[in-house]
Amino acid sequence: MLTTLFICLVAVAAAGYFFGQRKARGLAASQNTRLHSLPGYHGAYVAFWVGLPSLVLVLFWLLFQDAVVEGLVVSAIPSEITQGMSGNRIDLLVSEIKSVAAGRIFVEPQPYVLEAAAHYNILNNTAEKAMLVVVLALAVLGLGYARRNLSADFRARQKVGLTMDGLMILCSVIAIVTTLGIIASLLFEAIRFFEKVPVGEFFFGLSWEPQIAIRADQVAGTGAFGAVPVFTGTLLIAAIAMAVAIPIGLFSAIYLTEYAGDRFRSVIKPVLEMLAGVPTVVYGFFAVLTVAPALREAGAAIGLDVAPNSALAAGAVMGIMIIPFISSLSDDAITAVPRAMRDGSYAMGATKAETIIRVLLPAALPGIVGGILLAVSRAIGETMIVVMAAGLIAKLTANPLDAVTTVTVQIVTLLIGDTEFDNPKTLAAFALGLVLFVATLLLNIVALRVVQKYRERYE
Amino acid sequence: MTTGAAPASFVSDAALKRLQKRKAADQRLKYYGLGAIGIALLLLATLVTSLIITGHTAFLQTHVTYPVYLDPAKIDAQDPSKGNYRSIVRDSFTALFPEVTAVREKRALTDILTSAAPYILRDEVVDDPELIGQTIDFTVPVSDPFDQFMKGNIKRETPEDDRRVSDQEIAWVDQLVAEGRLSKPFNIGLLTNADSRFPEMAGLAGAITGSFFALLVCFLISFPTGIAAAVYLEEFAPKNKFTDLIEVNINNLAAVPSVVFGLLGLAVFLGTFGLPRSAPLVGGMTLALMTLPTIIITTRASLKAVPPSIREAALGIGASKHQVMMHHVVPLAMPGILTGTIIGLAQALGETAPLLLIGMNAFITSPPGGILDPSTALPTQIFIWADSPERGFVSRTSAAILVLLGFLVAMNAIAIYLRRRFERRW
């Protein structure tokens, strides 16, 4: 249905283009004057008038059709049934009506549900037909209006240019809209969370047990939302990851920039970067399948008790993922140190190692630190590795052999499955998301500042 | 004034020793560097080999072939989809082992076949109702424990209590092997079946279609908008606070954790707009928002690489600014733009966390028919299988990862080819 509509729209717009072009040529020939704009621009002008308003209408229609149809269906249900129902009950009823309307019938539904489902189908059907008619009518109207405007000295090129500018600005603004969307949705849900759980408890509480009862008769904890153990767990795993990634990444970068020959470098660098291209779900599986059992056996061999989902396994694998990140950013920082500093050091008789440690690394330090900060922000935002390999229980510990949980693990586990938006358990995920977003944003801003300051010194 | 002999201190033993020490330190740093690269490569190799070792067996699947008599009494000739296929499958199979008579043993014997065998037979008969009344050679996958046994993952030497296949069952399998009824062809089902609770029937068709639809949506949204935004920011935008804000935003979006985009998709696309859960449309829209910064950044880089002389020449002969863009600069930058887009899409293909939050990790047994049907995607399918306890799913997870990595390698290879083939150096 929708596909047909879009094909129709494209066809009408294309027709508009050719009409406009032909009319412009006709105008030029009949009045024996030169056109102000090329015929193609006249065509494009008509096509814009045909396509754009109808496209906008379709999008709005699709956005609101469901809500309107639902409202009509619910209001048509006899009021003695809907009376006294809470918002949730009505939502449930609506989804039952929808699944019955789609033919997914599991238990024999109530007669009024069947009736409502039939009503729903009829309304939807009408709405779709109505949309087709209205949209096509609007397209034809646009066609007529635009064609009437065409004349030999019509400034079609400027109009088309303005429209294109507008469209391009609209596309650029999507970035801002996305950021605003993120902030708004996180803030909105987080504020609702903090209405139920005090801010102080969330940021300073030491106990995290979000598994609270959804139904009254369920056996579950009373719920505790002190996020400190979650934050410490995140930091512990990120620290382990950095302990793995920084030495390996930094030494690789030093070797590749200063010691390796061109051919070695051109082969090894892309291979190292392949580590960054591996999807994180693959690392997660690698951690569960290979690294965690290996660490457990190694621990058992020397008499240590390693948890099956230890922070060490998750952190180490995350470190592997971050190696190329550190190595390529340090690589850039070291390469950017001016040639003269290197030559000066060699001229004084320093060896390569002395030049690297005493001259290049101090000079490149801001760039390297910036890179490390970016890597930390990646580590605390990384999700799949920890979801698969780290623990679910929040434990306040600094022991890397123990299981800890992280912010991202909690977000995913709290939101997987059925979600209800008025439950503190679900809303807690958004509060954690807000913390994560702010933390990574700050890290990125600081990192970019550090890197920029350093660039200014040499350019 | 003294001439000739150099000051002896330069070649004194102490100085030579110092020099040696300094050179040794130099060598040490070099070896640390080599060691670090070696460790990184070793880790990559371990990752790939462990996946290949566990995953390669899933590309083969043990099948059993045996004669089945399609008893017309048990099948409705008018409507072949109705029939007692369960008993047909069971009776023909137990007929191979006349010595087995006890009901319980017969049931154990039938467990060698996949539980989906009756449905497979039904589909074959529905496709060709002529078969009713004939005896056909019926080939089905064996169930997971026996598949693992045939692949050597369950060892005969293990004490009987510790393995999932009993001695009696091994004897039956040995008899089937002796009769030449077992074969291990390439596991086409891995690519053509959708998900299933039984490892021997589970395949990636649903996940691949779902990923395809999601990437299609992602491409249709992010490619045009990304190019338009990049062209505007690079070529038309005035330098002011507003455009600075846009640029800062794009750079920050590129570093926002993917799970946060999942939260956005959940709250806005599912919550506010009420789009269906688990649909590739929502997945694709979320991925598009993540891919957009990548496409904008690479497109701007390729636009920058087109030399100003091209623009000046076109402007000089009277082209408008838009014509310069549409006719000259963007086409010249296209190879770079396409390369960046493919790399962005490859990242999107491997992205898992946002898809989990919008519910693309459901258990769905048929491939999606469109962008609004519930579906999984390749990475979320990997996540689902990795969580499944059955032994057969371990090797299937690795196999699914190998398929995913195959797609990624192919996409990156195309990107590299495009860059090599069409990139111009000015």
Side-chain angles (χ1 to χ4, degrees), chain A residues 51-136:
Chain A
L52 287 180
S54 352
L55 196 65
V56 172
L57 182 73
V58 170
L59 291 181
F60 272 92
W61 194 294
L62 290 179
L63 268 183
F64 294 112
Q65 174 180 331
D66 222 37
V68 171
V69 168
E70 264 172 32
L72 285 177
V73 167
V74 170
S75 63
I77 297 174
S79 58
E80 55 266 31
I81 293 166
T82 46
Q83 219 162 39
M85 273 188 175
S86 66
N88 281 338
R89 252 324 260 127
I90 290 186
D91 283 350
L92 222 69
L93 183 65
V94 168
S95 59
E96 188 189 348
I97 292 172
K98 275 190 191 171
S99 55
V100 170
R104 292 190 300 270
I105 300 174
F106 301 111
V107 283
E108 192 54 40
Q110 302 278 342
Y112 68 85
V113 172
L114 276 179
E115 203 175 297
H119 188 200
Y120 178 84
N121 276 342
I122 292 170
L123 280 181
N124 254 342
N125 213 339
T126 325
E128 276 186 356
K129 282 193 184 120
M131 174 167 77
L132 190 67
V133 171
V134 172
V135 165
L136 287 182

Side-chain angles (χ1 to χ4, degrees), chain B residues 373-388:
Chain B
D373 289 352
S375 142
T376 58
L378 261 178
T380 48
Q381 189 71 59
I382 291 168
F383 177 70
I384 299 170
W385 284 358
D387 258 6
S388 306

Side-chain angles (χ1 to χ4, degrees), chain B residues 109-401:
Chain B
L109 187 56
T110 322
D111 279 346
I112 293 181
L113 304 176
T114 169
S115 315
Y119 310 115
I120 300 174
L121 184 65
R122 181 193 64 196
D123 292 346
E124 276 186 27
V125 175
V126 169
D127 281 349
D128 184 7
E130 299 279 295
L131 295 176
I132 298 173
Q134 298 180 20
T135 299
I136 60 165
D137 268 341
F138 181 49
T139 304
V140 273
V142 301
S143 67
D144 183 47
F146 301 93
D147 186 38
Q148 299 302 325
F149 174 71
M150 289 305 291
K151 286 168 178 169
N153 292 334
I154 295 177
K155 301 242 172 358
R156 208 179 278 265
E157 300 81 49
T158 319
E160 186 177 4
D161 291 341
D162 294 348
R163 51 175 142 81
R164 281 161 63 209
V165 185
S166 68
D167 286 343
Q168 173 67 71
E169 287 166 335
I170 290 183
W172 289 334
V173 172
D174 285 341
Q175 185 184 338
L176 288 172
V177 173
E179 290 169 8
R181 295 193 185 281
L182 291 186
S183 57
K184 233 190 297 180
F186 178 73
N187 186 3
I188 301 171
L190 183 67
L191 300 175
T192 55
N193 289 350
D195 197 9
S196 161
R197 262 175 303 128
F198 313 113
E200 68 274 10
M201 292 305 296
L204 291 170
I208 292 175
T209 339
S211 268
F212 172 76
F213 281 136
L215 279 193
L216 187 71
V217 172
C218 172
F219 173 78
L220 289 179
I221 295 175
S222 60
F223 186 66
T225 38
I227 293 183
V231 168
Y232 177 73
L233 291 174
E234 191 62 36
E235 307 284 342
F236 293 102
K239 198 87 189 105
N240 58 24
K241 283 244 164 87
F242 181 66
T243 48
D244 279 351
L245 181 70
I246 295 179
E247 287 193 26
V248 171
N249 254 303
I250 289 170
N251 289 331
N252 278 333
L253 275 185
V256 170
S258 59
V259 69
V260 173
F261 282 97
L263 289 174
L264 173 74
L266 178 65
V268 174
F269 296 147
L270 298 187
T272 312
F273 292 167
L275 291 172
R277 226 176 133 72
S278 311
L281 173 69
V282 182
M285 283 162 67
T286 313
L287 292 177
L289 294 182
M290 298 182 55
T291 317
L292 203 55
T294 316
I295 294 186
I296 294 179
I297 291 169
T298 49
T299 304
R300 291 187 66 175
S302 354
L303 289 175
K304 245 184 222 144
V306 176
S309 56
I310 301 274
R311 296 179 181 82
E312 284 152 13
L315 285 172
I317 55 170
S320 73
K321 273 181 96 177
H322 288 100
Q323 284 172 325
V324 175
M325 272 301 113
M326 301 291 286
H327 298 175
H328 301 282
V329 179
V330 171
L332 284 172
M334 207 34 111
I337 297 175
L338 284 178
T339 310
T341 307
I342 294 172
I343 289 173
L345 287 179
Q347 278 171 9
L349 176 61
E351 218 31 90
T352 323
L355 301 185
L356 287 185
L357 293 192
I358 57 153
M360 285 187 81
N361 58 336
F363 174 69
I364 291 153
T365 51
S366 60
I371 56 173
L372 288 172
D373 289 352
S375 142
T376 58
L378 261 178
T380 48
Q381 189 71 59
I382 291 168
F383 177 70
I384 299 170
W385 284 358
D387 258 6
S388 306
E390 285 91 347
R391 174 89 207 199
F393 276 121
V394 175
S395 61
R396 285 202 183 231
T397 312
S398 297
I401 287 177

Side-chain angles (χ1 to χ4, degrees), chain A residues 243-324:
Chain A
V244 171
I246 292 177
I248 298 182
L250 197 53
F251 278 119
S252 317
I254 290 175
Y255 186 83
L256 285 176
T257 49
E258 298 302 314
Y259 289 102
D262 278 348
R263 273 189 56 191
F264 185 81
R265 191 180 148 88
S266 66
V267 173
I268 294 299
K269 237 190 132 180
V271 175
L272 275 186
E273 264 152 30
M274 276 164 65
L275 279 173
V278 174
T280 51
V281 66
V282 177
Y283 280 114
F285 187 62
F286 177 61
V288 177
L289 180 77
T290 312
V291 178
L295 284 177
R296 210 169 146 71
E297 269 174 37
I302 55 172
L304 283 175
D305 187 25
V306 183
N309 44 10
S310 63
L312 189 58
V317 172
M318 194 190 281
I320 301 176
M321 183 196 82
I322 291 176
I323 291 172

Side-chain angles (χ1 to χ4, degrees), chain A residues 123-176:
Chain A
L123 280 181
N124 254 342
N125 213 339
T126 325
E128 276 186 356
K129 282 193 184 120
M131 174 167 77
L132 190 67
V133 171
V134 172
V135 165
L136 287 182
L138 187 67
V140 172
L141 270 180
L143 179 77
Y145 171 78
R147 259 174 62 100
R148 250 199 17 218
N149 268 349
L150 298 189
S151 67
D153 53 0
F154 180 65
R155 303 170 84 76
R157 183 168 69 76
Q158 278 78 352
K159 297 262 182 205
V160 169
L162 272 180
T163 317
M164 278 173 60
D165 282 349
L167 286 177
M168 286 194 294
I169 292 174
L170 201 68
C171 291
S172 318
V173 170
I174 287 182
I176 293 184

